[in-house]
Amino acid sequence: MVTLSPVGAQGKPPKRAEVIVHQLEALILEGALKAGDRLPSERALVAQLGVSRASLREAIQQLAARGLLVSQQGGGTYVTNRLETVFSDPWQPLLSAHPHVRRDVLEFRRTLEGAMAECAAQRATEADRARLAVLLAELETAFAGEDLLALSRTDVAFHQAIAEAAHNVLFAHLSASLLTMLKVHVRDNIANLFAVAPVSAQLLAQHRAIWRAIQARDPAAARAAAEAHIDFVDDTLNAMQAKQGRGGVCWSGGRCSEISGKAQKGAGRESAHVALEK
């Protein structure tokens, strides 16, 4: 549950509503309140902050007017999902129409992932490291069980946990936004790569290398491991495109004949593309 400091503890403000606004903004920036999270009930917030319902409602109205909060009739108040859509609209249609921009996306991700891993190695708390260890274990289980849906979800969570462990407000929000875009953008045939054992093994090894460097508090190694991961993804996708020209693996459209066995097994595996794209 989100913990808030009583308004009075921060000194007497000109208006209590303004202090409440500032506190809620800080929680959103720090990631304590994430996009889509529901705020505690009005009664709970009033008790935690020691303010009147009128001041609280005024603060929520201000944040809603600015687009940070969304109120649902009879359903509470939520942090807007717009915080994670900066790369989705209008970028999503552009990337779909111009797939060659993939290289630019990966180049941007290489810089971003490297910096986030480096900062995470320097700043991660014990709680951050414990969370990454749990996610890595879940990732290994998903790989071992060939559960591509679980692999996709856990991979996204692992990379976002690194962004949050960097303890930089913009890293956390940019990463969440970019991951949201990639989940929508990449075609379902990328899931075929996870049917190729050597590729899967290398991807898992790369995640372990990033985790080990962060655990060891080695910023240079963490950056290098993250950048090597993106380089591998880029090289693998380029190889797929080259093979497509020789009648091998498909890049867009139908399933690929050469590795269709495992890739076609199970429904909904298209979502597993996210793990490769990162």
Side-chain angles (χ1 to χ4, degrees):
M1 181 178 179
V2 175
T3 301
L4 299 172
S5 301
V7 167
Q10 297 182 0
K12 186 177 180 179
K15 289 189 64 175
R16 289 189 171 232
E18 293 175 2
V19 176
I20 299 170
V21 165
H22 184 77
Q23 281 198 313
L24 292 175
E25 286 174 339
L27 291 172
I28 292 171
L29 285 172
E30 294 164 5
L33 285 173
K34 296 180 171 55
D37 280 357
R38 180 175 178 174
L39 264 61
S41 68
E42 183 178 89
R43 178 179 297 179
L45 286 173
V46 165
Q48 289 180 48
L49 294 170
V51 298
S52 68
R53 290 178 182 267
S55 294
L56 177 62
R57 289 172 181 171
E58 182 182 348
I60 290 176
Q61 287 171 359
Q62 288 183 31
L63 291 171
R66 289 165 46 197
L68 285 173
L69 296 180
V70 178
S71 296
Q72 298 181 6
Q73 187 68 30
T77 302
Y78 296 80
V79 179
T80 180
N81 286 319
R82 290 170 58 191
L83 290 169
E84 294 185 354
T85 58
V86 64
F87 284 113
S88 297
D89 189 13
W91 279 104
Q92 169 57 35
L94 286 173
L95 292 175
S96 296
H98 303 277
H100 65 278
V101 181
R102 172 185 62 80
R103 296 295 301 275
D104 292 338
V105 172
L106 287 174
E107 183 177 58
F108 175 73
R109 289 223 58 189
R110 186 181 192 276
T111 300
L112 183 64
E113 293 272 357
M116 291 190 304
E118 181 178 38
C119 289
Q122 295 172 319
R123 304 170 183 169
T125 64
E126 290 306 316
D128 293 329
R129 290 185 170 82
R131 180 185 177 198
L132 284 169
V134 169
L135 290 170
L136 181 65
E138 292 178 1
L139 201 59
E140 291 172 336
T141 299
F143 267 106
E146 298 182 354
D147 187 343
L148 298 184
L149 288 174
L151 178 61
S152 173
R153 289 192 298 268
T154 307
D155 184 70
V156 168
F158 180 83
H159 284 273
Q160 184 58 26
I162 292 174
E164 294 172 5
H167 293 282
N168 178 295
V169 169
L170 289 181
F171 279 163
H173 286 283
L174 283 174
S175 174
S177 178
L178 190 58
L179 292 177
T180 298
M181 179 189 71
L182 292 177
K183 283 190 289 187
V184 176
H185 170 62
V186 185
R187 300 296 184 226
D188 64 346
N189 58 353
I190 299 298
N192 289 326
L193 285 177
F194 291 91
V196 183
V199 172
S200 296
Q202 289 179 73
L203 287 169
L204 182 56
Q206 290 158 17
H207 286 80
R208 286 173 178 152
I210 298 170
W211 175 78
R212 281 196 297 268
I214 293 174
Q215 294 292 320
R217 302 179 185 272
D218 189 335
R223 174 184 280 274
E227 291 176 347
H229 174 48
I230 299 299
D231 289 342
F232 175 81
V233 170
D234 193 15
D235 291 344
T236 303
L237 292 177
N238 287 335
M240 281 185 68
Q241 287 181 305
K243 195 168 186 179
Q244 177 191 7
R246 299 194 298 271
V249 178
C250 343
W251 177 245
S252 61
R255 296 288 185 183
C256 308
S257 60
E258 292 189 18
I259 57 175
S260 60
K262 293 181 181 178
Q264 294 189 47
K265 184 168 61 176
R269 291 192 171 183
E270 58 273 8
S271 64
H273 65 265
V274 181
L276 176 72
E277 276 293 273
K278 305 181 307 34

